[in-house]
Amino acid sequence: MRDGSKTKELITATALRLFVEKGITETTIRDIAGAAGVAEGTLYCHYDSKDALAWDLFIANYLAFAGELDRVQEERLTVKTKLEAMIHKFCQFFDEDQVMFSYLLLSQHAQLKKVTPEMTTPVSVLLDVVAAGIARDEIPGQEPQAATAMVLGVVLQVAVFKVYGRIQPSLTSLADQLTAACWRVLEV
Amino acid sequence: MRDGSKTKELITATALRLFVEKGITETTIRDIAGAAGVAEGTLYCHYDSKDALAWDLFIANYLAFAGELDRVQEERLTVKTKLEAMIHKFCQFFDEDQVMFSYLLLSQHAQLKKVTPEMTTPVSVLLDVVAAGIARDEIPGQEPQAATAMVLGVVLQVAVFKVYGRIQPSLTSLADQLTAACWRVLEV
Amino acid sequence: MRDGSKTKELITATALRLFVEKGITETTIRDIAGAAGVAEGTLYCHYDSKDALAWDLFIANYLAFAGELDRVQEERLTVKTKLEAMIHKFCQFFDEDQVMFSYLLLSQHAQLKKVTPEMTTPVSVLLDVVAAGIARDEIPGQEPQAATAMVLGVVLQVAVFKVYGRIQPSLTSLADQLTAACWRVLEV
Amino acid sequence: MRDGSKTKELITATALRLFVEKGITETTIRDIAGAAGVAEGTLYCHYDSKDALAWDLFIANYLAFAGELDRVQEERLTVKTKLEAMIHKFCQFFDEDQVMFSYLLLSQHAQLKKVTPEMTTPVSVLLDVVAAGIARDEIPGQEPQAATAMVLGVVLQVAVFKVYGRIQPSLTSLADQLTAACWRVLEV
DNA sequence: TATGAATGAGACTTCATTCAT
DNA sequence: CATGAATGAAGTCTCATTCAT
């Protein structure tokens, strides 16, 4: 109540958790306010609307993650090491903040309509690396979109299985295994 | 007006399309009835509730697809051919009824809470095949859940990219390529 | 299905039972049709509407009962014997058809708006007898309406208690006791 | 807008009036909100549902009235004076708040299913007094339930006739007369 | 007469949002 | 900034009634 930013963070974190637990549409303002211990109106001191909250939560973190992916790939020279670094980053993100990772995953479909093509997203970063790898012949010639999809699928579906409790070990501990698998996928 | 099953099919098909276009929660009874050209109350002649409609639509087709997957894998002897047949089936299903495939994909997360463990699902069929392959040493020793996730991810994410228009060719035409990729994934 | 009047009686009897069990508004056409084993539309072959059914059921039996009360009182000469005969009739009606008696009791309030003053009702018959008794000095001078209310209350409330299971013996076996009590009430 | 309890009282009083005028089922949320001059949703700031409103309105006042009856009977020593005091209380309640009295009367049947046996109700208070009177030989030996029903009937049916406009004087002015009649009823 | 799928008005309820305090 | 009562549009669902067969 003293520091407004504390309240905002509280609301944001609570909303994130509930969005993942119940879904965005299924989570009401009352749910969030109640779980955060603030009044319903308070939310509107920090966000214009529920949609704005969901969007902010999505896009800020989606782009930030894309930025991190981009940074780690830029620090590597070969496609193989770029891919390795990116997958490690994926796994690290998942392990450090599974709730946020899940949120990006599940809200992706709904929010993607509002993502403009010029934005740098995790997918576009991965696609650029894969496409460059093919262009530079570090990866056998193939359709970049399909190749990207397969690599992305390997990582994301393992994350989904982890969320569902089908997989026990941390993703980080599986990162090398995932990288190897992805690399084999790309070797045509 | 005479044949109730025609009306039911009309409602079902309309609902399926709208659910995929706008999302389940975002699709209203009025949307469905309006698009199907029937009265709102008519929906309740055939389904107990909107949730029941969404669930019926999901589970009937989810289980039917699982059944088809199971049938084709049973007709093959080796894990490799089983996998190949299943992936072809995946691609065929996608190409023949992309709307339904998309619906199963997007509603999976929400409806999965109501799926009981004894049900045979597409995931459980794939998992069984992979696990058996590992047990029989047709696939190198590894964690079956993780292996299943990776294979599933390859196929599903390519389907997602296809839905988003990132990929042009039909999935069926990519089936062999996907099978090869999945097999490389499993070769440790 | 062969004889229409059988179907009508079936519907009528079923409706009566459900109206008493659940209340008129709370009983749906579907309830009645389902319990009677006929289609929903069939009801409209015999009654114009649900309200018409409820009203017919009420007024026919309300007036018929009034007619019986009137008949038995006319066959007696003194107010005391008239009252005795009427109360016996009340009790007999209750014991013979508790469901119908209950229906008249509970729907009275709602249907009474449609009862016109010139109709001969159970209340008007009782009132006439009491008023005549006062006029003829067979009952001490008093306000006829209040006197009628008290007599009616004694009988009806005992019936209500019987319906609620608070009273065991049949009303008929209590008729003399009720008559005596009513008579004492009227003796100012 | 500031003081919520004012709004709640307004809604409650409006609902009470309409419930009595038209019946509970026949009164819609829109009716209540419109007559109270609030939005429809406002009702749900104060009550969980329409049923909860009807129930609260019933049980709070039903039990409060039972409490008052119990209090006045406890202040008297003999059954005769207890009965006299209770009937006066009945009449006073009716004259002071005929709408509430009518509501308790008409909703009694529907709400009684939710009344548990351990609750002290107006009927149970009266029954206890009558039963005690019989036990103490202040009233001739008889079945307490039937005796209670008759006394209750005398008072309630006069109230009903008053509601219907058949009786002009206030119930309070008739209280002594009613008490005398009830007493005669009990004298076997 | 009987059927029952279809109708559509309208009931109850939810919930994002506002605003006076 | 925070509050929370109030709002009212919109959603789901019910149900008396119709009508083609």
Side-chain angles (χ1 to χ4, degrees), chain C residues 109 157 160 164, chain D residues 12 15-21 23-24 52-69 89-113 115 119-123 152 156 159-160 163:
Chain C
H109 183 68
Q157 194 64 40
V160 168
Y164 286 158
Chain D
T12 307
L16 174 65
R17 179 169 59 80
L18 293 177
F19 284 168
V20 171
E21 281 175 13
I24 295 177
L53 166 55
W55 169 251
D56 276 20
L57 212 44
F58 173 75
I59 199 61
N61 290 280
Y62 198 61
L63 297 185
F65 179 47
E68 286 195 64
L69 282 183
K89 200 75 203 169
F90 257 101
C91 295
Q92 182 194 333
F93 180 18
F94 182 95
D95 288 336
E96 285 177 355
D97 196 349
Q98 184 180 320
V99 176
M100 177 60 77
F101 193 98
S102 301
Y103 179 66
L104 297 185
L105 214 54
L106 76 84
S107 59
Q108 206 177 333
H109 183 69
Q111 310 277 14
L112 230 45
K113 299 166 198 164
V115 174
M119 289 179 179
T120 299
T121 68
V123 174
L152 193 59
L156 291 189
V160 169
V163 169

Side-chain angles (χ1 to χ4, degrees), chain B residues 1 4 7 38-39 41-42 45-46:
Chain B
M1 279 190 187
T7 303
V38 300
T42 306
C45 296
H46 302 283

Side-chain angles (χ1 to χ4, degrees), chain C residues 3-187:
Chain C
D3 186 350
S5 73
K6 278 289 193 311
T7 301
K8 179 165 183 172
E9 276 175 36
L10 180 60
I11 290 172
T12 307
T14 306
L16 174 65
R17 178 171 59 80
L18 293 177
F19 284 169
V20 171
E21 279 175 14
K22 314 171 41 168
I24 296 176
T25 316
E26 290 70 24
T27 300
T28 69
I29 297 288
R30 178 161 304 184
D31 288 336
I32 298 169
V38 300
E40 292 179 49
T42 306
L43 198 145
Y44 293 90
C45 297
H46 302 283
Y47 293 99
D48 283 347
S49 68
K50 182 186 166 184
D51 276 357
L53 165 56
W55 169 250
D56 277 19
L57 212 44
F58 173 76
I59 202 61
N61 291 280
Y62 198 61
L63 297 185
F65 179 47
E68 287 195 63
L69 281 184
D70 204 30
R71 191 170 51 71
V72 302
Q73 69 85 14
E74 279 188 335
E75 292 169 356
R76 306 302 189 285
L77 291 177
T78 65
V79 169
K80 190 163 190 178
T81 53
K82 283 172 189 285
L83 194 68
E84 182 181 35
M86 291 169 70
I87 290 175
H88 271 270
K89 198 76 204 169
F90 257 100
C91 295
Q92 182 194 333
F93 180 19
F94 182 97
D95 287 338
E96 285 178 354
D97 196 349
Q98 184 181 319
V99 176
M100 177 59 78
F101 193 97
S102 300
Y103 178 65
L104 297 185
L105 213 54
L106 77 83
S107 58
Q108 207 177 264
H109 183 68
Q111 310 278 13
L112 231 44
K113 298 165 198 164
K114 291 198 282 189
V115 174
T116 58
E118 66 269 21
M119 290 178 178
T120 298
T121 68
V123 174
S124 74
V125 173
L126 179 61
L127 179 63
D128 287 349
V129 168
V130 169
I134 294 168
R136 284 191 247 145
D137 264 337
E138 292 182 48
I139 301 172
Q142 56 192 297
E143 219 284 294
Q145 293 279 3
T148 303
M150 291 190 289
V151 168
L152 191 60
V154 166
V155 178
L156 291 188
Q157 194 64 40
V158 169
V160 168
F161 267 41
K162 171 84 178 146
V163 169
Y164 286 158
R166 289 173 169 268
I167 289 176
Q168 305 305 329
S170 71
L171 283 208
T172 304
S173 70
L174 296 175
D176 290 335
Q177 191 178 326
L178 289 174
T179 305
C182 287
W183 193 250
R184 287 199 302 279
V185 162
L186 294 174
E187 284 177 325

Side-chain angles (χ1 to χ4, degrees), chain B residues 46-59:
Chain B
H46 302 283
Y47 293 99
D48 281 349
S49 67
K50 182 187 162 184
D51 274 359
L53 165 55
W55 168 250
D56 276 21
L57 212 44
F58 173 76
I59 199 61

Side-chain angles (χ1 to χ4, degrees), chain A residues 25-26 109 112 123 127 145-146 149-150 152-154 156-158 161 164 166-167 178 181 184-185 188, chain B residues 25-26 109 112 123 127 145-146 149-150 152-154 156-158 161 164 166-167 178 181 184-185 188:
Chain A
T25 317
E26 290 71 24
H109 183 70
L112 231 45
V123 174
L127 178 64
Q145 293 279 4
M150 292 189 289
L152 192 60
V154 167
L156 291 189
Q157 194 64 39
V158 170
F161 268 39
Y164 287 157
R166 288 173 170 270
I167 290 177
L178 290 174
R184 288 198 302 279
V185 161
V188 174
Chain B
T25 316
E26 290 70 24
H109 182 70
L112 231 46
V123 174
L127 179 62
Q145 293 278 2
M150 291 190 291
L152 192 61
V154 167
L156 290 189
Q157 194 64 40
V158 169
F161 267 40
Y164 286 157
R166 288 173 169 271
I167 290 177
L178 290 173
R184 289 199 301 279
V185 162
V188 173

Side-chain angles (χ1 to χ4, degrees), chain A residues 8-178:
Chain A
K8 179 167 184 172
E9 277 175 36
L10 180 60
I11 289 172
T12 307
T14 306
L16 175 64
R17 178 170 58 81
L18 293 177
F19 284 168
V20 171
E21 282 175 12
K22 312 173 39 168
I24 296 176
T25 317
E26 290 71 24
T27 300
T28 68
I29 297 287
R30 178 162 304 185
D31 287 336
I32 300 170
V38 300
E40 291 179 51
T42 306
L43 199 145
Y44 293 88
C45 296
H46 302 283
Y47 293 99
D48 282 348
S49 68
K50 182 187 166 183
D51 277 356
L53 165 56
W55 169 250
D56 278 19
L57 212 43
F58 173 75
I59 200 60
N61 290 280
Y62 197 62
L63 297 184
F65 179 47
E68 287 194 62
L69 282 182
D70 205 31
R71 192 170 50 71
V72 300
Q73 71 85 12
E74 279 189 335
E75 292 169 356
R76 306 300 191 285
L77 292 177
T78 66
V79 169
K80 190 164 190 178
T81 53
K82 283 175 190 282
L83 195 67
E84 181 181 36
M86 289 169 72
I87 290 175
H88 272 270
K89 200 73 203 170
F90 258 100
C91 295
Q92 182 193 335
F93 181 18
F94 182 95
D95 287 338
E96 285 178 355
D97 197 348
Q98 184 182 319
V99 176
M100 176 59 78
F101 193 97
S102 301
Y103 178 66
L104 297 185
L105 213 54
L106 75 86
S107 59
Q108 209 175 226
H109 183 70
Q111 309 278 13
L112 231 45
K113 298 165 199 164
K114 291 198 281 188
V115 173
T116 58
E118 68 268 22
M119 289 179 179
T120 299
T121 69
V123 174
S124 74
V125 172
L126 180 59
L127 178 64
D128 287 349
V129 167
V130 169
I134 295 168
R136 282 190 248 147
D137 263 335
E138 293 182 48
I139 301 173
Q142 57 193 299
E143 219 284 293
Q145 293 279 4
T148 302
M150 292 189 289
V151 169
L152 192 60
V154 167
V155 179
L156 291 189
Q157 194 64 39
V158 170
V160 168
F161 268 39
K162 171 82 179 149
V163 169
Y164 287 157
R166 288 173 170 270
I167 290 177
Q168 305 306 328
S170 72
L171 283 208
T172 303
S173 70
L174 297 174
D176 290 335
Q177 192 178 325
L178 290 174

